[in-house]
Structures are given as structure tokens and as C-alpha cells.
Amino acid sequence: MKIFGVTGWKNSGKTGLMERLVAHFTAKGLRVSTLKHTHHGVDLERPGTDTHRHREAGAQEVVLASAARVSILHELRDTDEPRLAELIARLTPCDLVLVEGFKNAPHPKIEAHRAATGETLLAPKNDTIRAVASDVPLPDLDLPIFDLDDTPAIAAFIETATGMAPRSIPKLANDCFALPPGVNWTPVDKALATLRDRLQPVAGTETVPVGQARGRVLAADHMAIRSNPPGANAAVDGYAFAFAGLPAGDVVHMPLVDGRAAAGAPFAETVPMGQAIRILTGALLPNGVDTVVMQEDVQVNDGTLSFPAGVKPGANARAAGEDVAAGKLALPAGQKMRAPDVALLSALGLSNAKVHTRLRVGVLSTGDELAEPGTTMDIARTYDANRPMLLSLVEGWGYAPVDLGHVTDDRDILHQALNDAATKADVILTSGGASAGDEDHVSALLGETGSLHHWRIAIKPGRPLALAQWNGTPVFGLPGNPVAALITTLIFARPAFSVLAGGNWLEPQSFLLPAAFSKTKKSGRREYLRARLNDDGHVEAFKSEGSGRISGLGWATGLVELPDEAAEITPGTMVRFLPYSGFGIT
Ligand code: AMP
Ligand code: MG
């Protein structure tokens, strides 16, 4: 989310400018939210109204809702006024947050100014103000000055100042999900190759501090700004000297110079040939030395250092740039940032990273039978397990989960839900209704777009997958059965999302391990069993392959992948184990 502010004195035209900017950006198709600071207690209703009475009675939060809008009033009692960042965190993700007021917060802002207020500008003193919008010409300020009414020019300035990603997300081809013709049941590898070939990144880009980049996908190659290490330094605590100045003999004696070299406190002078200096780990090697002897290997008496001969030239010293040289590739575009990557970029002097915006993954459940757990005990209802499962997966993968709720098997409602979803998400995951039966409305609706491809994949478990685009947004229509929904998501959606997010195609991690079970498998389709390792490191399979046995998902710590071909497995046969952790399930 981009954040930009409008500030100014009372009656300076702030709210009018906010109003024009909101209208301007929303007309361009951006989702804009606003935040406003006020010095008064926030009260949306007169005293005596119902919600006012709830609050007075002590409610912590009061939600006032109608068909038109929802307001949440959170009472602050014995807490400080919330900071802007905390307030922004309450907003639903959007493209731009325009903030009115909060003049002392660090976000960039424009100052509205009207001559009639008689006030002098805030701008020169407040260095978060990046431009001024004024109703009268102003003297030179070293800042851009706009006509208060020139909304397009002010909006263009805000777009540049925030580095707002262009909205023109690259479009996927309409037939991008077409499978090779003439094949009845598509092998898993062919289906995967199709996804891999056809997909491309759809996420925009933004700059974030390196310390906040974990889970984000780099949008550019990142180069070392400085070498690591930046200068030659000691690898141990000990004594440093020039190797060329070592005296002869089985035991070496050298005078010590006064002073020492420590990390962050270099020794400024040159160490004379034939003399040594006290040095600590990480200290820059002073001029005149190239070799370090460990303190455990020496004796020091009366300012003389003694140690056995045999030290190698350059021992215990690290050369400048021996790890990474300045200007060399630190991490490539497409890398998903993990904690060690954060360390590397930081060590190489990068404070910011150019990353892709988080892929927004919408999750929608469909089916008349579905109900939220906790709402009913009616045995005719099925609790919605897929939506929380898929939202959790998406969050664990570092994407932005967008909960699109549950819709009944009603084509108009589903149509509306998909319209809404396509504006909120970069990719949509639906579950249920994806086959070609009477109640398979997802499938029927997606079919109307002309972009639907039913993937009859030779995989068990997993009924057909429905792949399509709705208003240009890719949709993965998953089977309703939670076991099949999970497995198809892990095998197909996970690598596909990685590419859509700007990252690399992902292959699941796998290990060949001896089986602890028996199974005869026919040829023609790939099978995934819920599996886990026993104490001997052998692979056990869940007692039932029934796809309704959800308990097996929790019992397992991974999957066994059985090949497309026929297989006869007995205890000890090597099988391919795919741990949950390799799928990013934690
Ligand atoms: P469908 O693909 O719509 O025919 O659904 C197949 C099976 O999965 C049915 O038994 C559904 O009740 C069940 N199912 C569908 N969606 C969900 C869900 N979100 N959570 C749990 N079970 C579901
Ligand atoms: Mg259904």
C-alpha cells in the first residue's frame, strides 16, 4: 500500500484536496482508502443514540452496520493515541492510503495552502512535506508548488513520489490454460509443464527496507554495494605481524608495539617490520601486517611475544572481498527472501530491497452444504475446511491472503463474488463445484468466459481442476474434497503462484526412502499418499486412501509420490517422500 498525506492549517483546503484526489484515483481504477486525524473525540452519532449508549456503558468496540456501510468505533481507554502505522494496519489492503492531517508522522505529504488563512507555510520546517498546493503564487521554496485546483498535476506528483506501480498488470493470454490436444487424461508432468510455460509474473513492484523483506520476492538483481569483508581483518583474537619480518629459529620472539587493533577501533599507524601488535577478531589489519597468530598459541612476557615457528603466511587473516566483492551479484531477481538473505543484503550494505508486491490470493468456498464451524450441528451441513486451510497456506507462503468468504450454489451470487474477487485478488482459488455436474456452478460460470479449461489430470486424489480467467484474473477451481483440494494446491497452485508472484518455478523437495508399507499400483496415473516417517526413517502410509479421510492430513508429515507407471511396493522398496516442510507447510 502506498501512503501519501495532505496536511495544512485549518481552512487551508485540505479536505477539498483530499476529496478531489480520492475521486481522481478511484476513477483511474485504484482502490483508495483514507485516514484522517482529528483533535476532537470521534463521535459518529449524537449522545443518546444506541451505539453512543453502548460505548458509554463500557464496550471496547462498537460495530455499527447497515446495508450501506460499516463503522467500527474502538474506544481508547488508558492507552496512548494510536500511531499512524497502527491505524494503517487496520485497513484492508488497497493501492493508496491518503492521510489527512498527522502532520508530524514521517510519511511524505503535500501541504495545502490558502492565502486567506493568513498562516505562514509549514513546509520549510517540516521536511516530510514534499510539495505545496496553493491558491496563490508563492516565492521559490525548493519544493514543487502546484495550483491548489490542479488535481491531475498533484495526482501525477503523488504517483511519482510514491513509486506507485503501474496498474497495467501484464495480461495472461486467454488460452494460457489450454492443455495439449488429443490427450484424454493429462499426465501430471505435462500439466505442470503447461503452467510453467504459460504463466508470468502479475505482481507489481515496490521498495521495502531489507529488514522487512522476509517472504518477499526480489524484483531485480541485487548487487553488493560494498565488499564483504570491506577490509582485510583478523579471524581470531591474537597477535599480528608481517610474515616477511619473522625472525628465524624454532621459537620466535618479537617485540610488541604499544596499542592494539580491535573491531571498530583500528590501529592508525604502521607496525614496523619484525614487530607484532595485539589484535582482536574482526579488527582491520593495520598497515605493515598480513599474518595473525592465535592468542592460545603464544606467550607474552615483558612486551615480547613468543610462539613456535611454523605459522603460515597470511594465517588467520581474511582478505578484503574474499566473501563477496563490491558490485558482484548478491541475490538474483526471483529470490524469495529468507532470514539468511536478509543478513546477506544487510552485510553488503543494502538498506532497501526492490521486491514484488505481495501476490493477493483470493480464497472462495462454494457449496449449499457448507457452514462455518461453530454455527450449526446439523448433520446435513459440512463445515468449511478448505477456506481456512487455503488461507493459512497462502499466508505461510508469504502472499497476501484475501478471504472471499463462502457462496451458495447460486450462479448469480457466484457471478457477483467472482466480479468482486477479480478486483481484490491477483489470483483466485475456489473450491467445490469444479467438475461438470449439475451443481458445478463454478465450472459452468467459468465456462461462459471462454477461457475455461477442465484439466482431467491423471492424479489421485484430485478430480478435474478448472482453470480459467475471470476478468483477466486467473482462477484455479479446486475440487471440494479437502484432501484433493490440498494435494492439487500443493502440486499445481504452489509453483504457479510462485511464478505469478515474480519468483521461480518450484519443484517439491523429495527424498528416496524405504517404504514401511505394501501397495500394488496400476499404471496410468500418479498417486499421492498421506505419509510420515517412522522412528527408523522408513515411510509409513496412512491406513486409508479414502479421500474423505481428512484425519490423515493431520496424521501425515508429508506425501508419498507414486510414479505414473505401475508399481509393486513392499517394505523396503524405495519410495519418494515429499515432506510437508518442502511445500512450505509449517
Ligand atoms: P464438490 O467438488 O463441490 O462436488 O464437493 C466435493 C465434496 O467436498 C463434497 O462432499 C463437499 O461437501 C466437500 N466440500 C466442498 N467444499 C468444501 C469445503 N470448503 N470444506 C470442506 N468440504 C468441502
Ligand atoms: Mg459443491
Side-chain angles (χ1 to χ4, degrees):
M1 295 201 293
K2 305 298 182 189
I3 299 161
F4 203 87
V6 174
T7 191
W9 294 105
K10 203 170 160 47
N11 296 326
S12 61
K14 293 194 294 282
T15 309
L17 178 55
M18 285 284 292
E19 193 178 19
R20 292 190 298 279
L21 287 171
V22 172
H24 178 95
F25 285 119
T26 51
K28 286 182 83 176
L30 297 184
R31 292 150 316 149
V32 180
S33 298
T34 66
L35 246 158
K36 178 180 159 56
H37 186 263
T38 175
H39 292 290
H40 317 288
V42 177
D43 221 332
L44 299 186
E45 293 205 285
R46 275 166 290 110
T49 55
D50 298 353
T51 50
H52 189 269
R53 288 166 61 186
H54 299 180
R55 290 202 305 282
E56 289 292 298
Q60 173 186 298
E61 270 184 326
V62 176
V63 178
L64 176 61
S66 74
R69 58 192 63 85
V70 175
S71 103
I72 302 175
L73 288 174
H74 184 112
E75 289 297 295
L76 297 181
R77 299 194 178 98
D78 307 323
T79 52
D80 293 338
E81 190 171 347
R83 287 175 308 130
L84 182 60
E86 291 161 27
L87 296 172
I88 285 176
R90 288 175 174 263
L91 292 172
T92 306
C94 63
D95 299 303
L96 176 65
V97 182
L98 287 171
V99 178
E100 180 174 344
F102 287 94
K103 66 172 181 287
N104 297 322
H107 64 287
K109 39 188 98 70
I110 186 165
E111 175 172 1
H113 175 76
R114 272 213 191 102
T117 60
E119 301 280 4
T120 52
L121 286 172
L122 298 162
K125 274 204 219 110
N126 182 330
D127 65 3
T128 64
I129 294 174
R130 300 290 150 79
V132 176
S134 167
D135 68 342
V136 289
L138 292 174
D140 200 13
L141 268 179
D142 240 7
L143 282 179
I145 299 170
F146 295 96
D147 179 336
L148 185 55
D149 288 324
D150 192 354
T151 313
I154 296 171
F157 174 78
I158 293 175
E159 281 176 4
T160 316
T162 54
M164 237 139 74
R167 275 301 281 177
S168 57
I169 294 171
K171 279 252 183 291
L172 300 172
N174 206 36
D175 65 347
C176 77
F177 295 128
L179 284 176
V183 187
N184 203 3
W185 285 96
T186 308
V188 172
D189 287 339
K190 227 184 198 112
L192 288 171
T194 302
L195 283 178
R196 186 178 184 157
D197 283 356
R198 308 283 171 74
L199 294 176
Q200 65 196 40
V202 296
T205 59
E206 62 181 330
T207 300
V208 298
V210 165
Q212 288 165 26
R214 189 179 70 84
R216 308 298 295 270
V217 178
L218 293 182
D221 288 346
H222 281 61
M223 309 297 174
I225 289 174
R226 205 176 73 168
S227 295
N228 184 51
N233 66 84
V236 296
D237 290 340
Y239 296 84
F241 47 83
F243 182 81
L246 273 182
D250 286 349
V251 177
V252 172
H253 303 284
M254 292 176 105
L256 280 174
V257 298
D258 275 346
R260 61 166 208 175
F267 183 72
E269 294 148 50
T270 298
V271 177
M273 189 65 102
Q275 296 188 24
I277 182 168
R278 173 73 170 140
I279 196 162
L280 301 177
T281 307
L284 288 176
L285 294 188
N287 279 338
V289 312
D290 57 14
T291 302
V292 181
V293 61
M294 281 172 78
Q295 66 186 22
E296 290 79 357
D297 296 341
V298 304
Q299 285 189 337
V300 177
N301 284 312
D302 280 343
T304 297
L305 178 72
S306 309
F307 57 93
V311 175
K312 301 253 163 16
N316 300 315
R318 305 173 178 137
E322 70 174 25
D323 179 24
V324 182
K328 285 279 185 302
L329 181 67
L331 289 173
Q335 172 87 18
K336 186 151 184 187
M337 293 288 290
R338 307 154 305 166
D341 302 316
V342 169
L344 177 60
L345 293 194
S346 300
L348 298 177
L350 287 92
S351 54
N352 288 315
K354 187 166 182 209
V355 297
H356 284 283
T357 50
R358 274 186 210 281
L359 187 74
R360 297 168 306 164
V361 182
V363 178
L364 181 70
S365 290
T366 71
D368 285 340
E369 75 281 24
L370 297 187
E372 293 291 302
T375 60
T376 178
M377 292 298 271
D378 179 355
I379 61 165
R381 310 300 296 276
T382 301
Y383 295 131
D384 184 353
N386 290 342
R387 193 154 47 98
M389 169 178 76
L390 296 169
L391 288 167
S392 309
L393 271 178
V394 163
E395 189 182 17
W397 290 337
Y399 306 134
V402 181
D403 187 350
L404 300 170
H406 154 237
V407 293
T408 52
D409 290 320
D410 175 309
R411 225 165 271 192
D412 291 337
I413 296 177
L414 184 59
H415 194 281
Q416 194 48 49
L418 287 172
N419 280 349
D420 179 46
T423 65
K424 288 184 178 158
D426 301 314
V427 57
I428 303 165
L429 271 181
T430 67
S431 68
S435 304
D438 296 349
E439 291 298 322
D440 290 316
H441 301 281
V442 174
S443 184
L445 263 183
L446 293 177
E448 290 171 13
T449 65
S451 63
L452 173 68
H453 294 278
H454 267 123
W455 282 22
R456 303 213 316 151
I457 301 170
I459 184 174
K460 180 188 168 190
R463 286 215 310 226
L465 273 184
L467 285 105
Q469 292 178 59
W470 188 269
N471 296 343
T473 302
V475 183
F476 284 66
L478 306 172
N481 179 295
V483 176
L486 177 67
I487 288 176
T488 47
T489 301
L490 297 181
I491 302 300
F492 298 105
R494 177 174 168 270
F497 289 3
S498 178
V499 173
L500 294 172
N504 303 316
W505 179 260
L506 303 173
E507 304 281 353
Q509 185 187 40
S510 70
F511 301 96
L512 277 176
L513 292 169
F517 63 95
S518 301
K519 180 178 165 68
T520 304
K521 180 195 165 295
K522 284 189 286 194
S523 96
R525 71 177 174 194
R526 190 166 299 184
E527 293 189 19
Y528 292 91
L529 310 179
R530 284 144 279 177
R532 71 180 183 194
L533 300 187
N534 66 17
D535 291 343
D536 301 330
H538 293 198
V539 183
E540 280 179 60
F542 188 57
K543 60 178 188 263
S544 162
E545 289 182 26
S547 62
R549 301 290 195 101
I550 300 175
S551 62
L553 295 178
W555 173 90
T557 59
L559 305 175
V560 158
E561 182 182 75
L562 301 177
D564 298 0
E565 306 81 61
E568 183 66 50
I569 294 150
T570 50
T573 309
M574 297 304 268
V575 292
R576 193 166 286 284
F577 179 68
L578 284 47
Y580 275 170
S581 57
F583 288 112
I585 298 181
T586 48

